[in-house]
């Protein structure tokens, strides 16, 4: 685990918490984005706990550069959701999710474990809040075309398209299963195929993809 935050007291608090967990190890701390990029390359941590607002290189650019290396590190962002209008940008840059800085300790530890295992950690309700708030900032989403010209969309089966739209709405596997009258295991299988076909690492990136193509819109069911 690499902790990235420009406030030393925040880093200390995170380290103290993480060192109490038997399955986490802090390998380093960085005070700004450029230092985070360098240390991620040197230390190759499983997870980078990333702040967004920092002097010099911010967390968005640092995330973009770390992900661009193709290394093993996955990014979990901690942010103040109600104030940080750049939260969607760091997801687009390749973060696997984010939590609020006022998250409970057990939520943070669970989020770190989930990211380390290759999952996303944005709860569906928070996904909807994020996209409902910031969807109008997302550039380049074609309107009224249902993403039909994108080869990744064309590669999906009709059922996989339904699954992608539902994921874009922030629905859980259980909600999708109920809506489409499928078993949760079947939904999970379809969702895995969708992620593979569109080249998304996790559900967070699938949500962004769906919004980019104009497949889903705030407060509109799939």
């Amino acid at each position: 685990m690499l902790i990235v935050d420009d406030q030393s007291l925040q880093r200390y608090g995170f380290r103290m918490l993480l060192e109490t967990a038997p399955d986490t190890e802090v390998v380093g701390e960085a005070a700004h984005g450029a230092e985070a990029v360098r240390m991620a390359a040197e230390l190759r941590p499983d997870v980078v706990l990333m702040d967004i607002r920092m002097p010099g290189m911010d967390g968005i650019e640092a995330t973009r550069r770390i992900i661009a290396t193709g290394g093993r590190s996955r990014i979990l962002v901690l942010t103040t959701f109600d104030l940080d209008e750049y939260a969607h940008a760091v997801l687009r840059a390749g973060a696997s999710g984010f939590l609020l800085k006022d998250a409970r300790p057990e939520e943070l530890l669970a989020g770190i474990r989930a990211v380390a295992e290759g999952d996303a950690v944005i709860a569906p309700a928070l996904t909807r809040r994020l996209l409902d708030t910031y969807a109008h900032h997302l550039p380049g989403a074609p309107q009224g075309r249902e993403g039909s010209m994108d080869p990744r969309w064309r590669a999906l089966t009709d059922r996989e398209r339904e699954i992608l739209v539902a994921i874009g709405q922030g629905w859980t596997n259980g909600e999708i299963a109920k809506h489409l009258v499928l078993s949760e295991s079947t939904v999970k299988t379809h969702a895995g195929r969708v992620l593979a076909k569109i080249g998304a690492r996790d559900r967070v990136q699938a949500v962004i993809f769906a919004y980019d193509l104009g497949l889903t819109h705030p407060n509109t069911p799939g």
Side-chain angles (χ1 to χ4, degrees), residues 52-120:
I52 289 183
R53 294 181 172 182
M54 297 178 288
M57 184 187 297
D58 63 16
I60 299 170
E61 181 60 24
T63 294
R64 185 177 295 112
R65 295 192 186 191
I66 291 171
I67 295 299
T69 66
R72 60 186 288 180
S73 300
R74 297 173 65 84
I75 313 296
L76 173 58
V77 175
L78 285 177
T79 184
T80 50
F81 175 81
D82 291 333
L83 299 176
D84 204 329
E85 67 272 22
Y86 301 109
H88 74 278
V90 81
L91 292 177
R92 192 183 299 282
S96 293
F98 65 82
L99 295 173
L100 307 184
K101 281 194 172 180
D102 61 359
R104 297 190 304 272
E106 60 270 23
E107 291 176 327
L108 176 57
L109 292 173
I112 290 168
R113 294 184 185 105
V115 167
E117 293 170 0
D119 202 355

Side-chain angles (χ1 to χ4, degrees), residues 90-158:
V90 81
L91 292 177
R92 192 183 299 282
S96 293
F98 65 82
L99 295 173
L100 307 184
K101 281 194 172 180
D102 61 359
R104 297 190 304 272
E106 60 270 23
E107 291 176 327
L108 176 57
L109 292 173
I112 290 168
R113 294 184 185 105
V115 167
E117 293 170 0
D119 202 355
V121 300
I122 298 182
L126 186 54
T127 302
R128 284 192 282 263
R129 283 180 56 201
L130 169 70
L131 292 170
D132 287 353
T133 302
Y134 293 119
H136 64 284
H137 289 299
L138 302 180
Q143 299 298 317
R145 298 294 297 278
E146 292 296 303
S148 60
M149 299 306 293
D150 192 294
R152 293 168 294 179
W153 170 255
R154 295 199 303 269
L156 301 177
T157 66
D158 289 342

